[in-house]
Amino acid sequence: MQRPRRKVVVVIRKALMCVICAIALLGLLSGHLLVFRSSTVPDFPDSRKLPTVAQQHEINYRTLSTERRWTQELAPPQLLKEQTRTHISKAPLRTSKFDGVRRNPDYDKLWKPPANRNLVPCVAPSPNYTDPGESKGYLVVSTNGGLNQMRTGICDMVAVARLINATLVIPELDKRSFWKDTSNFSDVFDETYFINALAHDVKVVKKLPKDISPATRVVKHFKSWSGLNYYQDEIAPMWEEYKVIRAAKSDSRLANNNLPPDIQKLRCRTCYEAIRFSPKIEAMGKLLVERMRFYGPYIALHLRFEKDVLAFSGCTHGLSKAEAEELRIIRENTAYWKVKDIDARQQRSKGYCPLTPKEVGIFLRALGYPQKTPIYIASGEIYGGDSHMAELRSRFPMLMSKEKLVSVEKLEPFNGHATQLAALDYIVSVESDIFIPTYSGNMARAVEGHRRFLGHRKTISPDRKSLVHLFDKMERGILKEGPKLSNRVIEIHKKLQGSPRRRRGPVSGTKGMDRFRSEESFYENPLPDCLCRRETTNLNAALVVR
């Protein structure tokens, strides 16, 4: 009887050993599998949602955010191919994402954002603010310009609709501008969310009722940078004769300053909360951010070395004679560009030209950023392509773009739609560790303002006029890349990194429309209207926003 028992014991022991080995092997395999990303990209924390963020900083304020999920490829196909045009041959691993960046002894100096002085969004309406009153008529809006020009114009028109007691019809996007984009509002923005988010501010409808007579409609060119009195005294009385007022243009129709606090806060609620990008854009934008984060902290470079910008500004530095002539012809043939004869040298010396890719490379190296710094190129097609990008790429080989981060198939739905592609760049730029615009256009201002609203994320604004002076010295052989240039560039830009400050008023001595035009844009800097200081009296005290 003992032998059978011994055999049973031996069999049980062997079975237990097999089970233990199997469990150990499974644990080992699961440990290796953790190196790879899940097939589902997790949502960012709410504070990183775009563009809805204000609800996180205000208790008891309405929230209409919805959770969104999307899937991603295990790795970008372009990064897995040895023959890929980019220098990177495979998807990077999390374990090495800070290589070449964190090892730098000046890591904190390069990447640390400016102190935000405990400023947080405060856009909740005042206690006296009420739901929209009885509508007097319909406000139809024809937006103009690119993505950010239209976006800020829409925010202004929401405020105007509130001021004149109008029902806002979903704005029409510009289809006639340089880019000829056929996108509708719902292709770029979340239309339903926009309507619901503004329910307590302005009534919004998708279309005009069919029974409104054409005789009761009027097209009106609202005056630029107009205040409360203009809309209440000149526009609102038009309801006595008309049921529909069409705003022929939407950009810069509202003053930057001296408006009621609740109107200013409404502009911020609209810009940073109600105008959310469409689900497909938001999903792709977050995917691009996730791909960039594989490489560690990254710079979003708004490189405005594009055909339309160069043609409009008349900037030809670094271009061939044939390229300069092509730009001159474009400017000459674009009817709504009023200035035709431009002195390119004078433009550049005054700092009115976008930095060239070569100049950007010199600038970033002078600031101290290492060669392996990941850089996302937020722009349309670079004029001259690789021939003009070579100098920047030689200094910073990790230049990434939408086309390099996702497959051709994934990007296909957005191609041919400049507004939607710009929205993707907008998301990646707002979420970047550092944002650097090479030209002070609409996107540069909008992204800087959004980053200020989110906590004054680091935004380095190149002093183009001072830099051109240094670059000219380099071309004459008086100055070379090295410590002397670096010290000068760092000193110039110490206070140009997005730290908190009040919005600038008009330039001293300016009058009339030039006075309003010289003011800093409301959407470039929402302080003080939409940001308040959060203070604590002691460790156990609740946060107090004032």
Side-chain angles (χ1 to χ4, degrees), residues 18 33 35 58 93 104 149 160 185 190 248 280 328 339 359 369 372 422 438 445 468 493 496 517 532 534 544:
C18 289
L33 289 173
V35 172
E58 298 186 66
L93 297 178
N104 192 311
Q149 192 171 342
V160 169
F185 188 96
D190 189 331
K280 72 170 186 177
R328 186 196 66 77
V339 181
E359 291 169 344
Y369 288 96
K372 292 184 179 180
T438 63
R445 289 191 288 268
V468 163
H493 293 87
L496 297 174
R517 188 179 286 109
C532 305
R534 181 177 56 187
V544 178

Side-chain angles (χ1 to χ4, degrees), residues 432-443:
S432 65
D433 297 273
I434 296 172
F435 175 64
I436 300 178
T438 63
Y439 190 64
S440 54
N442 290 305
M443 178 164 170

Side-chain angles (χ1 to χ4, degrees), residues 270-287:
T270 306
C271 189
Y272 306 123
E273 180 176 336
I275 296 189
R276 173 184 287 185
F277 291 117
S278 66
K280 72 170 186 177
I281 290 177
E282 188 172 284
M284 179 57 72
K286 290 179 179 178
L287 176 55

Side-chain angles (χ1 to χ4, degrees), residues 179-212:
W179 303 274
K180 307 295 183 186
D181 190 350
T182 59
S183 298
N184 294 315
F185 188 96
S186 59
D187 297 319
V188 181
F189 306 110
D190 189 331
E191 189 174 77
T192 301
Y193 186 86
F194 179 76
I195 294 171
N196 293 335
L198 293 172
H200 297 286
D201 302 298
V202 173
K203 184 178 180 181
V204 184
V205 295
K206 294 184 179 182
K207 295 180 180 180
L208 271 176
K210 294 181 180 179
D211 59 350
I212 294 181

Side-chain angles (χ1 to χ4, degrees), residues 158 206 235 286 417 427 526 542:
V158 168
K206 294 184 179 182
I235 303 302
K286 290 179 179 178
H417 300 286
I427 292 174

